[in-house]
Amino acid sequence: MELKIYNQSGGLKLTVPVTSSSTWNLELMSENALSLSFTVPACVPLQVNDYITLEGVRFSVKKEYKPRKKNSQEYRYSCLLYTSDAADERSSV
């Protein structure tokens, strides 16, 4: 499975593979967060309001994120994306 990360204007920024270490933390009365870990061959910093839509829920970057260089050809990402208040209300109905 792959996820598409979009910039705040809706333009495709990055397509990333989902790894077994990526998780969706959805708990009642708690934050709704998507934890992603992946490696790609390009350094693409994530900006505030970049987002992913997963199963109809929009998860956004809340603070800038720069990947770590794994080696000369790969960058490792380990980041959190959160739902907005409106998405939280919809997911708890």
Side-chain angles (χ1 to χ4, degrees):
M1 175 183 204
E2 292 184 329
L3 293 175
K4 296 183 184 302
I5 301 175
Y6 299 93
N7 63 26
Q8 65 181 354
S9 301
L12 181 62
K13 189 168 193 172
L14 191 62
T15 300
V16 302
V18 176
T19 64
S20 59
S21 59
S22 296
T23 59
W24 182 353
N25 181 26
L26 176 59
E27 297 178 18
L28 210 56
M29 304 301 286
S30 183
E31 70 183 5
N32 190 359
L34 188 61
S35 172
L36 296 178
S37 297
F38 57 91
T39 302
V40 293
C43 178
V44 181
L46 300 179
Q47 305 297 319
V48 173
N49 295 326
D50 286 351
Y51 68 93
I52 291 174
T53 302
L54 180 63
E55 294 184 16
V57 179
R58 184 172 171 155
F59 294 87
S60 299
V61 174
K62 297 298 179 192
K63 65 178 184 176
E64 270 189 39
Y65 179 82
K66 293 181 184 174
R68 291 182 180 227
K69 192 171 189 174
K70 181 177 177 184
N71 57 43
S72 63
Q73 298 177 346
E74 293 181 307
Y75 291 85
R76 177 170 292 159
Y77 291 72
S78 182
C79 54
L80 288 171
L81 292 90
Y82 301 92
T83 59
S84 66
D85 294 337
D88 283 336
E89 289 173 16
R90 187 172 49 124
S91 67
S92 64
V93 171

